Amino acid sequence: MATTTRMFCFVLVMVLMGCCCSAKIYKVGDSKGWTTAKHGSYYEWAKRKEFQVGDSLMFEYDGNVNDITQVSTRLEYQFCNYLSPKAVYNTGHDVVTLTEQGYHFFITSNRSQCVAGQKLVVFVVHDHPMIPPPPRKILPFGKDYKVGDSNEWRVPEESDFYSKWSEEKQFHVGDNLLFYYNDQVDDVLEINSDLEFKSCDTTSPVAMHNAGQDLIRLTKPGIRYFITSKIGHCEAGLKLRVVVRPLSKSVPKKMQLSPFDRLIKWLHDSFTPHPHH
């Protein structure tokens, strides 16, 4: 009995260690580190990476002339406002762990360098596989769709590009749209109607997004319309219409265990001794 219990605990610890070890450390800016940069440089660095809860950002820089100022809002990030920081790091070699989903904004308190482009926004999309996800009260986890795939959200070469992209997919309630784009060139406006969509009418948007990395959740069935406010870009084809289908039929309860829960159940069943009759 004691032996099997110890074995079960050992296997469980190894599994949990494996989960934790799946986190990644990203060196910001790669070989250039955290330094004076052209506008958009750190956007380009971040946009092709998928940051997850538990990952870390490693900042390397000259602590005599620079620092890392983490700010709370998009406006503080956009206007290089470092007066009410969420956190400040200044050792020259700092590792910041991403502990929650959502946007994380980093600038330097050297305002001239920040205005020139030394600032970073990352979007944390998921937890790592096998880390139990936080409960969601209303909607289940859906699929993530990166709008435009490798083309991202930008003026397309063919005006019907995003129409074709959308028609090839089936969107359901609970899915997410991920918009990646250059926030100095474009934005994302959600509008109400097919008429506004066809005419590229930007006067009455439902919502406006302009961070360069935006996650929009599909919360109810129906048609969702997205355009850009930039003159001429919508007319050239930078517009997206998606049809959101209702939730699929619920899965039987016996199939609703997460992969992590199923593994724990298997370990328990395999290593727990059963009474002999």
Side-chain angles (χ1 to χ4, degrees), residues 71-243:
V71 294
S72 301
T73 69
R74 188 176 301 167
L75 283 177
E76 289 174 318
Y77 166 80
Q78 290 177 334
F79 293 100
C80 295
N81 182 351
Y82 56 86
L83 298 179
S84 301
K86 185 176 180 180
V88 177
Y89 308 88
N90 53 19
T91 69
H93 181 91
D94 300 304
V95 178
V96 181
T97 301
L98 305 171
T99 58
E100 59 185 356
Q101 296 183 9
Y103 292 104
H104 298 259
F105 303 99
F106 302 93
I107 62 175
T108 173
S109 65
N110 186 324
R111 183 172 173 77
S112 62
Q113 291 185 197
C114 178
V115 171
Q118 190 179 343
K119 52 183 176 178
L120 169 69
V121 55
V122 300
F123 190 83
V124 180
V125 182
H126 290 304
D127 287 345
H128 277 284
M130 295 194 67
I131 297 178
R136 295 197 177 188
K137 294 181 179 179
I138 301 175
L139 298 176
F141 283 100
K143 294 182 179 179
D144 292 332
Y145 292 94
K146 182 180 178 183
V147 174
D149 297 326
S150 60
N151 193 69
E152 300 182 342
W153 181 245
R154 66 184 68 177
V155 175
E157 294 182 1
E158 299 178 0
S159 60
D160 61 349
F161 172 81
Y162 290 101
S163 175
K164 291 179 179 178
W165 179 87
S166 176
E167 289 172 357
E168 293 172 352
K169 297 167 178 60
Q170 287 193 359
F171 303 96
H172 292 86
V173 170
D175 290 345
N176 296 308
L177 299 178
L178 302 173
F179 289 83
Y180 288 86
Y181 55 95
N182 186 336
D183 62 351
Q184 299 301 306
V185 177
D186 278 301
D187 55 18
V188 182
L189 264 65
E190 183 170 2
I191 54 177
N192 276 306
S193 68
D194 194 64
L195 180 61
E196 290 175 317
F197 181 75
K198 289 178 179 178
S199 61
C200 294
D201 184 351
T202 63
T203 56
S204 302
V206 175
M208 180 174 181
H209 309 272
N210 55 12
Q213 300 178 35
D214 300 314
L215 181 146
I216 298 175
R217 196 152 196 231
L218 306 176
T219 58
K220 59 183 179 181
I223 301 176
R224 302 280 292 269
Y225 303 94
F226 304 94
I227 62 175
T228 175
S229 69
K230 305 304 179 181
I231 297 175
H233 290 197
C234 176
E235 291 80 359
L238 189 53
K239 52 170 39 175
L240 173 67
R241 175 182 181 271
V242 299
V243 178

